């Protein structure tokens, strides 16, 4: 009868009754729990038990992190683990492909309109064999990098390194890291002749080391030792993308930048597609969902990833197109700046600042394109959010800009407007706080 009366009572009354019963029962449960804790306390605090708990927590954390990475496509799960993924990539680029004409998609092809004039001119002097073995998807070589220390992740035949060796000048340096012997052999073949005879330097300012981009320390790259990292359609091939970004963040000096092109997808791919040998080699299998990639950047410390350019990739092979269904892939050039903590925020904030491009940057006499929706005309003041202000005023770009104002007064969110790349349905997804 009591149960029937409680059932007829208003919900608020039943809720109070249940809450009262819970409170009444709680002391008894707490007492029993206390007795159990007291009886096991001595054994639980022993060194062996503490060690076991630590190991269990580490396993649980590792398992959780691994599951999340797999979901996000940040890791490639394949029979044989990371070693088999790397072996597959080495075979594809070292043996299967003879030249870029053997590719089955346009993923590893760079549209000529995305290549700056200074880079196009430098490319004319690069040895033909180096260019023939090129499998990049964008133009990840920024202009105006004279005197900088440049690192190329997954340098392959070295095409981008040869271009960078000219752009950084005799006082700059270029290091390429790759794991494929065949590619390294081609890259090293022309170094001395190109640097001393073609460029006229007293000695070579470029070298290549064998190693993986997930462990740059093993390749001899110290902390905070480079100003600019470039990479061309390589990160998607890595079985451990969080490690790649973490290592990039480690070796960059404050004010440095990771400027790179890679392949991304408009969705999360199924596991069997992510480990498919040909899709992996064609830079599609390892492509991350673009929104997950931005989350990964922010987790590592690259708080505001900016899109510079992007285009959709064409899958030419009918069998691969059928496998991929409606998934769309994009080549995107990203800019990731490293600044001290607090300089970059997750959203565009307004501090009343403005920036002026003073000119002087080689290849940009009249204007400078920071990203897909920030173009600075020479000598024209432009209102900027705090993040954009830091990017042009507190990085390697600072000598070309004047930033006026500080962050002492906050005016709320800054309206940067939508990224054109993000807004266009026919273009690549955009990224960053200013989008």
């Amino acid at each position: 009868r009591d149960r029937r009366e409680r059932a007829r009572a208003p919900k608020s009354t039943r809720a109070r009754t249940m809450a009262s019963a819970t409170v009444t029962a709680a002391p008894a449960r707490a007492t029993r729990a206390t007795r159990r804790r007291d009886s096991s306390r001595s054994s639980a605090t022993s060194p062996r038990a503490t060690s076991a708990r630590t190991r269990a927590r580490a396993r649980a954390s590792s398992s959780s992190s691994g599951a999340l990475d797999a979901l996000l496509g940040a890791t490639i799960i394949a029979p044989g683990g990371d070693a088999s993924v790397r072996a597959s990539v080495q075979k594809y680029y070292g043996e299967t492909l003879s030249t870029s004409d053997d590719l089955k998609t346009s993923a590893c092809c760079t549209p000529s309109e995305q290549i700056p004039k200074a880079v196009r001119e430098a490319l004319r002097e690069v040895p033909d064999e180096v260019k023939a073995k090129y499998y990049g998807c964008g133009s990840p070589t920024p202009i105006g990098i004279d005197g900088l220390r440049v690192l190329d992740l997954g340098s392959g035949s070295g095409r981008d390194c040869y271009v960078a060796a000219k752009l950084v000048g005799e006082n700059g340096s270029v290091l390429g890291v790759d794991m494929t012997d065949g590619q390294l052999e081609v890259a090293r073949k022309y170094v001395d002749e190109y640097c001393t005879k073609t460029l006229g330097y007293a000695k070579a300012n470029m070298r290549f080391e064998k190693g993986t981009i997930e462990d740059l320390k093993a390749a001899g790259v110290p902390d905070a030792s480079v100003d600019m990292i470039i990479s061309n359609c390589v990160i998607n091939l890595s079985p451990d993308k969080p490690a790649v970004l973490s290592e990039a963040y480690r070796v960059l000096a404050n004010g440095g930048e990771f400027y790179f092109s890679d392949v991304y997808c408009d969705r999360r791919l199924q596991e069997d597609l992510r480990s498919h040998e040909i899709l992996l080699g064609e830079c599609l299998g390892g492509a991350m969902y673009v929104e997950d990639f931005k989350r990964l950047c922010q987790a590592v410390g690259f708080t505001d990833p900016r899109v510079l350019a992007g285009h959709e990739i064409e899958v030419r092979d009918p069998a691969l197109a059928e496998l991929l269904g409606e998934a769309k892939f994009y080549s995107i050039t990203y800019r990731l700046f490293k600044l001290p903590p607090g300089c970059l925020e997750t959203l565009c904030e307004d501090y009343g600042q403005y920036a002026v491009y003073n000119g002087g940057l080689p290849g940009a006499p009249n204007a400078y394109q920071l990203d897909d929706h920030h173009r600075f005309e020479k000598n024209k003041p432009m209102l900027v959010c705090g993040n954009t202000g830091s990017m042009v005023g507190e990085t390697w770009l600072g000598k070309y800009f004047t930033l006026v104002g500080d962050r002492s007064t906050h005016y709320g969110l800054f309206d940067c407007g939508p990224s054109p790349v993000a807004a266009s349905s026919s273009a690549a997804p955009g990224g960053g706080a200013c989008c």
Side-chain angles (χ1 to χ4, degrees), residues 265-413:
C265 190
D266 68 347
R267 65 197 66 197
R268 294 169 181 154
L269 293 175
Q270 299 167 203
E271 187 175 313
D272 59 330
L273 296 179
R274 298 208 328 263
S275 58
H276 188 283
E277 185 174 345
I278 296 179
L279 289 176
L280 189 59
E282 292 282 333
C283 299
L284 302 184
M288 285 186 71
Y289 171 43
V290 66
E291 299 300 330
D292 286 340
F293 176 75
K294 288 187 283 185
R295 294 181 183 106
L296 179 59
C297 290
Q298 291 164 350
V300 167
F302 294 115
T303 308
D304 187 0
R306 296 289 180 94
V307 170
L308 179 61
H311 65 273
E312 189 169 346
I313 290 168
E314 176 191 0
V315 181
R316 300 165 181 157
D317 186 88
L320 295 184
E322 185 176 350
L323 270 177
L324 294 168
E326 292 299 307
K328 288 182 172 56
F329 296 85
Y330 304 92
S331 169
I332 302 177
T333 299
Y334 269 109
R335 307 189 72 169
L336 310 180
F337 290 92
K338 179 180 178 179
L339 285 161
C343 289
L344 296 179
E345 302 176 272
T346 56
L347 295 174
C348 296
E349 303 294 345
D350 188 352
Y351 296 98
Q353 297 171 296
Y354 68 88
V356 180
Y357 172 53
N358 303 315
L361 200 153
N366 301 312
Y368 181 75
Q369 192 79 34
L370 175 68
D371 54 35
D372 62 358
H373 58 300
H374 287 90
R375 183 174 178 83
F376 293 85
E377 290 187 40
K378 182 180 176 181
N379 297 330
K380 180 180 179 180
M382 179 175 175
L383 291 173
V384 293
C385 68
N387 284 1
T388 299
S390 290
M391 289 175 187
V392 299
E394 301 173 42
T395 68
W396 69 275
L397 291 169
K399 62 184 177 181
Y400 302 109
F401 283 84
T402 298
L403 178 64
V404 179
D406 55 30
R407 297 193 181 192
S408 58
T409 304
H410 180 233
Y411 298 99
L413 282 176

Side-chain angles (χ1 to χ4, degrees), residues 151 175 177 207 216-226 247 250-251:
L151 168 65
L175 168 62
V177 175
R207 63 188 175 91
L216 296 174
K217 191 170 290 186
V221 187
D223 295 359
S225 61
V226 298
E247 278 291 85
R250 176 184 68 81
V251 303

Side-chain angles (χ1 to χ4, degrees), residues 104-243:
K104 299 178 185 294
T105 73
S106 66
C108 296
C109 303
T110 306
S112 58
E113 66 271 14
Q114 288 188 12
I115 304 177
K117 182 181 177 182
V119 175
R120 290 199 303 271
E121 292 175 351
L123 278 171
R124 296 193 187 105
E125 300 176 321
V126 176
D128 289 339
E129 186 180 6
V130 170
K131 289 188 285 190
K133 291 274 188 179
Y134 163 74
Y135 305 118
C137 63
S139 179
T141 311
I143 56 176
I145 57 174
D146 183 62
L148 297 189
R149 301 165 295 175
V150 175
L151 168 65
D152 186 358
L153 299 185
S155 50
S157 66
R159 193 200 78 155
D160 292 330
C161 288
Y162 279 74
V163 171
K166 179 174 183 177
L167 297 182
V168 300
E170 197 164 4
N171 294 323
S173 65
V174 180
L175 168 62
V177 175
D178 202 90
M179 66 177 183
T180 306
D181 290 325
Q183 293 281 67
L184 286 167
E185 182 181 353
V186 173
R188 289 167 173 162
K189 188 184 296 185
Y190 306 96
V191 168
D192 290 332
E193 180 182 355
Y194 175 78
C195 291
T196 58
K197 294 183 179 179
T198 303
L199 300 182
Y201 298 162
K203 61 179 182 179
N205 67 342
M206 169 175 58
R207 63 188 175 91
F208 295 91
E209 297 290 343
K210 183 173 182 177
T212 66
I213 60 176
E214 298 88 357
D215 187 7
L216 296 174
K217 191 170 290 186
V221 187
D223 295 359
S225 61
V226 298
D227 307 303
M228 174 71 61
I229 299 176
I230 60 176
S231 185
N232 204 338
C233 206
V234 170
I235 298 176
N236 71 87
L237 299 172
S238 170
D240 189 354
K241 295 171 183 63

Side-chain angles (χ1 to χ4, degrees), residues 10-34:
K11 287 184 179 179
S12 58
T13 304
R14 293 203 303 272
R16 285 194 299 271
T17 304
M18 291 170 66
S20 176
T22 301
V23 171
T24 303
R29 288 199 298 269
T31 302
R32 290 195 296 273
T34 302

